[in-house]
Amino acid sequence: MTTGDLVLDRVELRLGTRTLVGPLTLTVPPSRIVTVMGPSGSGKSSLLAFLCGTLDPAFAASGRVRLAGRDVTALPPERRGVGILFQDDLLFPHLSVAENLAFALPSAVRGRVARRAAVEAALTEAGLAGFADRDPATLSGGQRARVAVMRTLLADPRALLLDEPFSKLDGPLRARFRRFVFDHARRRGLPTLLVTHDPDDAAATDGPIVALQAAEHADGPPAGSGGAPPDDDGHSLSRFPQL
Amino acid sequence: MADPIRAVAAESLAGRAAPRPADPAASRRPRAGRLLAAVPVLTLVLFLAPIAVGLFGTWIPAFGYLPALGGTEAGLGPWRTLFESPSLPGAVQLTLLTGFLSTALALILSLGLCAAWHGSRMMAAARRALAPLLAVPHAALAIGLMFLLSGSGWLARGVAAGSGVLGMPVWERPPVFGMVQDPWGLALTFGLMLKETPFLMLMIVAASGQVRIERTLAVARTAGYGPVTAWVKTVLPQIYPQIRLPVYAVLAYSLSVVDMALILGPSTPPPLAPLVLRWFNDPDLTMRFVAAAGACLQLLIVAAGIAIWYGAERLIARVARPWLSGGHRGGSGRVARAATGGGMALALLAAAVSLAALAVWSLAYRWRYPDLVPSAWTLGTWDRNLPALAWPAWTTLGVGAAATAIALVLTIACLEYEQRAGVRPTTRALWLLYTPLLVPQIGFLFGMQVLLVVLRLDGTWPALVWSHLLFVLPYVFLALAEPWRALDERYVRTAACLGAPPWRVFWRITLPMLLRPVLIAAAIGFAVSVAQYLPTLFAGAGRLTTLTTEAVGLAGGADRRVIAVYAFAQMSLPLIGFAVALAVPALLFRHRRGMRA
């Protein structure tokens, strides 16, 4: 799979008359990780939902999303090739570990043997060889998190979105898992967008940071709204180098 | 239903309509397919149209107009005859007494239990014990109660045996009067209360789940309030708005019940609904006009009943207001716990013994009064009646399965549409959903029958399934809506982002994850269908009979063994349904800890 830039072009999210995000323009090149930071309520998760095509219809959105040169804005989520990881692993509780992974495996991988082999390979890569037929509920938090990563990657995405996926883990486990995710994303050349409110996460990316303001803040106009013309380059770009 | 509504109401009426996306291409609106979007409207039509037409077709003959029966002159004649009927005053009085009393008792008992036993293990046990009672059809429970309370019933036998042991024999012969079919309708009231308490408890528990009940109670308890007082003062005012509609449904049902009234109620006069049914079945066809007027009166009584209840709610709320903030902390709640616990134990015992009586009578060969158990047993009654029972049993099963399947498909389509289109139900929508449960059946079934005759559908399977669907659909929807909405939406999003198209997400993720509530909803729908008496009577037009119509029809007869066979069979079908609904997910997901309830 060829990779390419993930481009957000004047993306703006509104809820009613309130502008929640944007307009935001940024480019995430392959193998790079861009962090979006902001307090809760600043629309971080909604931005990711918009990028993967699952934004609640209550929001109004404008702007374009391009991935590897293709405009994916109008595509349904299953055809965008955008993988997402949430802070919960969201392993399907009714499927085994292997079935969870096979669910993500494209149908182009044909035949029971080939599919099983792909699943086993992914498990081995995650240090979970032999876990194929386990009930996900019997795995530890860290193990489940790794299965969730492998599941996302098996779907062969062209970009990766991370919705605070480390916030449920503590201490050394958290750092280890973070490296695991970043390494896999870089190795596959995926443009990656990380949403977090933890500066440690952001620091670990070695990448640029975009700060979102709290749109619900009572005093002061929310970003991008009101009379001032929106900054053409997007949001608060204080620490955001041009890519 | 809540959803059709949603489609219609959410966009045009009161719903929070989603703002149009500024850029249509950037929206995910098209995710809710056009076919799916049509389902809510279709559902609405399927289930509100017959009621509307049925009401119309009942009110017109009530004013003397129905050419098919020779009524071409409109006038007040039927109403005059109705009000001149000597049975009417007694019937109305009985209706009001049994309806209000049973609803009030069921509400007090269920609220009292929840207040006094909140959070205890006893509460969980009571819920588990009451759940099967939900599945038992009204008619079967009523027949069981008849076996318990009648002159030669188990209670009288128990008294006779007990007093004999004590050496002071009473009732060596069956007492002439039984405790059923009493002129005040107390047996009917008791039966209704027994049947409606589990439903109300379930509704209270469901409503409690939506309020931050534990924290609310913790605040009140740490402020020094006793457990029961804390619940009544802080939880009840929060949950009552959510159980209001179910309470009205119970009131409407109790004010217009027919099958239980035929079995447990007096007959001279009976309550209004059975009296109207008697008029509808009168060989003198002109009585149909009077019956139609009576059906309309029944509707007015239910409407007035709900209005009165609402007024009482407001009055109590106003009177209790100073008490709420008056600072009275209440006691330990020991008395309330004893009273409600005792009441519930007694009710459960009565229900259990009644249902056991069905089994015992169906197997009894010789059972003389005052023996406590039969002196000889036989399978002969089952043997002899099985051939005659088979056809109504298959009809019951077939109609129940068909109505449940249709209701399930419509409900799931509505909920999927709701989830994909991101619309939420409104209060108005909920009222529409409850319509078939609030409008008395006798108030519109005659008119619906007229419609079916015009469509040449009366006495056919589609008519029977349709008439059951009206009542199955709301319950299936009510049972499934909460679990469906509670499913973490991120599972669906995750699956979509992993490349699964909507249909695959539905079949592989949503449906399996919700299999348990789907099957429970199906079991509830099936139980509702099995229990339907009046709709079967009207839509079946005598050509299609179910175990319920047969059992109620036989209940007036003399052979208790045959009655017991039919009632037992009627009770078994829904219980089997629930057993299957619980067993299938448990078996399928036995190796999936995350799927346990």
Side-chain angles (χ1 to χ4, degrees):
Chain A
M1 170 97 33
T2 56
T3 56
D5 294 350
L6 169 66
V7 179
L8 281 65
D9 183 5
R10 274 166 298 167
V11 167
E12 188 174 356
L13 302 185
R14 284 184 308 278
L15 189 58
T17 55
R18 226 178 51 211
T19 300
L20 210 58
V21 173
L24 178 65
T25 298
L26 67 84
T27 301
V28 188
S31 302
R32 294 298 295 272
I33 302 168
V34 172
T35 306
V36 175
M37 291 195 72
S40 48
S42 59
K44 300 185 304 270
S45 293
S46 304
L47 176 64
L48 295 195
F50 173 70
L51 296 182
C52 60
T54 57
L55 186 65
D56 189 296
F59 291 92
S62 60
R64 319 299 304 176
V65 183
R66 276 188 296 278
L67 185 52
R70 193 169 64 129
D71 188 330
V72 298
T73 321
L75 291 180
E78 70 269 16
R79 289 177 48 208
R80 292 190 178 202
V82 176
I84 187 164
L85 272 180
F86 295 99
Q87 63 172 261
D88 297 301
D89 53 74
L90 296 170
L91 295 181
F92 303 127
H94 60 296
L95 303 178
S96 69
V97 168
E99 286 167 333
N100 262 284
L101 293 173
F103 181 87
L105 203 58
S107 55
V109 182
R110 276 171 203 274
R112 215 165 47 84
V113 180
R115 292 182 72 80
R116 181 74 186 195
V119 167
E120 298 280 8
L123 281 173
T124 309
E125 200 182 329
L128 291 169
F131 279 69
D133 295 318
R134 291 277 292 270
D135 176 357
T138 63
L139 270 55
S140 74
Q143 291 168 334
R144 290 169 59 99
R146 275 179 284 156
V147 175
V149 174
M150 295 322 290
R151 185 176 66 174
T152 302
L153 296 178
L154 275 184
D156 213 0
R158 272 165 286 181
L160 187 60
L161 307 179
L162 304 174
D163 194 350
E164 309 203 28
F166 318 121
S167 59
K168 284 259 169 97
L169 304 173
D170 306 311
L173 182 59
R174 182 186 178 113
R176 212 159 54 227
F177 178 61
R178 196 162 54 201
R179 206 171 320 119
F180 178 82
V181 174
F182 290 169
D183 284 351
H184 276 84
R186 290 202 185 98
R187 205 178 307 154
R188 284 168 206 241
L190 296 175
T192 300
L193 202 59
L194 166 70
V195 149
T196 184
H197 55 244
D198 181 356
D200 282 355
D201 288 345
T205 62
D206 274 339
I209 296 168
V210 184
L212 291 187
Q213 291 166 16
E216 283 166 341
H217 218 251
D219 37 300
S225 76
D231 188 338
D232 210 27
D233 280 358
H235 226 55
S236 330
L237 298 183
S238 45
R239 297 174 55 195
F240 182 51
Q242 210 63 40
L243 289 162
Chain B
M1 313 161 354
D3 210 62
I5 306 155
R6 234 153 277 149
V8 179
E11 303 211 321
S12 61
L13 305 173
R16 79 169 160 83
R20 293 281 148 212
D23 176 0
S27 122
R28 68 175 194 111
R29 272 266 170 206
R31 305 289 295 159
R34 217 171 295 159
L35 191 67
L36 207 52
V39 174
V41 181
L42 173 76
T43 311
L44 194 66
V45 170
L46 255 184
F47 111 136
L48 286 185
I51 297 176
V53 174
L55 284 174
F56 183 76
T58 308
W59 279 85
I60 298 297
F63 289 93
Y65 187 80
L66 187 62
L69 291 177
T72 49
E73 298 261 313
L76 288 174
W79 289 91
R80 220 168 284 134
T81 321
L82 173 70
F83 285 115
E84 281 162 7
S85 159
S87 315
L88 189 72
V92 170
Q93 209 181 339
L94 194 61
T95 296
L96 293 174
L97 181 73
T98 54
F100 274 101
L101 194 59
S102 64
T103 308
L105 287 176
L107 184 62
I108 289 169
L109 184 57
S110 47
L111 283 177
L113 262 169
C114 292
W117 294 92
H118 174 81
S120 69
R121 243 182 296 169
M122 151 83 184
M123 181 72 185
R127 272 177 57 201
R128 260 198 305 277
L130 283 168
L133 205 51
L134 266 178
V136 174
H138 294 85
L141 182 65
I143 290 171
L145 275 176
M146 179 175 82
F147 288 168
L148 176 64
L149 299 176
S150 69
S152 56
W154 244 349
L155 191 62
R157 289 166 191 262
V159 170
S163 59
V165 170
L166 294 174
M168 300 180 294
V170 291
W171 286 351
E172 288 183 292
R173 282 192 221 174
V176 218
F177 63 92
M179 276 167 282
V180 290
Q181 305 185 342
D182 57 292
W184 308 280
L186 295 180
L188 174 59
T189 303
F190 182 65
L192 282 168
M193 184 203 79
L194 218 51
K195 188 68 184 84
E196 301 304 344
T197 303
F199 173 68
L200 287 178
M201 272 197 62
L202 193 76
M203 289 293 150
I204 294 170
V205 170
S208 312
Q210 293 167 15
V211 181
R212 288 194 203 146
I213 184 166
E214 299 305 337
R215 275 184 249 176
T216 305
L217 278 176
V219 169
R221 292 295 299 279
T222 49
Y225 282 87
V228 181
T229 312
W231 197 92
V232 173
K233 284 189 171 182
T234 64
V235 176
L236 179 59
Q238 292 187 66
I239 63 166
Y240 191 80
Q242 293 175 67
I243 62 166
R244 174 178 283 134
L245 269 173
V247 169
Y248 292 172
V250 168
L251 180 66
Y253 181 84
S254 304
L255 284 170
S256 61
V257 63
V258 172
D259 51 359
M260 282 191 115
L262 287 175
I263 298 163
L264 293 176
S267 53
T268 50
L272 183 58
L275 182 64
V276 169
L277 178 65
R278 195 189 289 171
W279 287 335
F280 272 129
N281 290 330
D282 201 293
D284 176 6
L285 288 182
T286 58
M287 281 307 284
R288 303 268 161 115
F289 295 100
V290 183
C296 296
L297 179 64
Q298 177 74 63
L299 177 70
L300 296 176
I301 286 179
V302 168
I306 292 175
I308 291 169
W309 193 278
Y310 178 75
E313 283 171 11
R314 303 304 297 251
L315 192 70
I316 291 172
R318 175 169 300 184
V319 170
R321 194 123 208 145
W323 175 73
L324 282 185
S325 50
H328 311 287
R329 298 300 204 257
S332 67
R334 217 171 295 146
V335 178
R337 223 167 295 159
T340 54
M344 182 51 53
L346 205 65
L348 275 174
L349 186 70
V353 172
S354 300
L355 298 178
L358 296 180
V360 173
W361 266 110
S362 78
L363 296 171
Y365 182 63
R366 195 178 309 115
W367 194 0
R368 284 206 201 87
Y369 189 87
D371 295 351
L372 268 182
V373 287
S375 52
W377 302 77
T378 177
L379 279 171
T381 321
W382 279 98
D383 250 4
R384 270 194 313 282
N385 286 283
L386 266 184
L389 183 142
W391 185 239
W394 281 116
T395 310
T396 311
L397 195 66
V399 171
T404 304
I406 296 172
L408 216 48
V409 169
L410 291 173
T411 297
I412 290 176
C414 286
L415 289 170
E416 265 297 283
Y417 172 75
E418 168 184 308
Q419 193 255 328
R420 290 188 198 179
V423 280
R424 284 278 169 267
T426 61
T427 313
R428 198 186 304 236
L430 215 55
W431 274 89
L432 283 179
L433 178 65
Y434 266 90
T435 305
L437 313 182
L438 294 175
V439 177
Q441 295 188 340
I442 196 117
F444 70 89
L445 280 173
F446 174 66
M448 188 178 162
Q449 194 185 29
V450 175
L451 169 72
L452 291 173
V453 171
V454 171
L455 296 174
R456 297 177 176 277
L457 277 175
D458 63 314
T460 65
W461 276 75
L464 199 54
V465 173
W466 193 6
S467 72
H468 281 207
L469 185 63
L470 302 185
F471 307 99
V472 171
L473 199 48
Y475 282 106
V476 169
F477 196 99
L478 287 171
L480 200 48
E482 280 318 311
W484 203 276
R485 289 174 194 145
L487 179 70
D488 191 338
E489 208 215 347
R490 291 175 308 166
Y491 281 113
V492 174
R493 286 209 252 151
T494 302
C497 292
L498 291 173
W503 59 268
R504 185 150 181 264
V505 176
F506 175 77
W507 287 108
R508 289 293 309 278
I509 305 300
T510 314
L511 202 56
M513 283 187 73
L514 291 168
L515 185 65
R516 182 192 298 271
V518 163
L519 290 181
I520 295 281
I524 290 174
F526 182 69
V528 168
S529 168
V530 170
Q532 293 307 314
Y533 173 68
L534 217 47
T536 315
L537 212 58
F538 275 90
R543 268 165 282 174
L544 290 173
T545 60
T546 60
L547 288 174
T548 302
T549 54
E550 294 288 323
V552 176
L554 285 167
D559 195 341
R560 290 189 168 179
R561 295 167 185 82
V562 181
I563 304 170
V565 163
Y566 275 85
F568 190 85
Q570 188 214 12
M571 172 184 78
S572 305
L573 279 183
L575 286 179
I576 293 171
F578 272 94
V580 172
L582 291 176
V584 168
L587 196 69
L588 275 179
F589 299 129
R590 63 188 180 285
H591 298 310
R592 296 284 172 263
R593 220 162 56 188
M595 290 298 291
R596 274 173 220 165

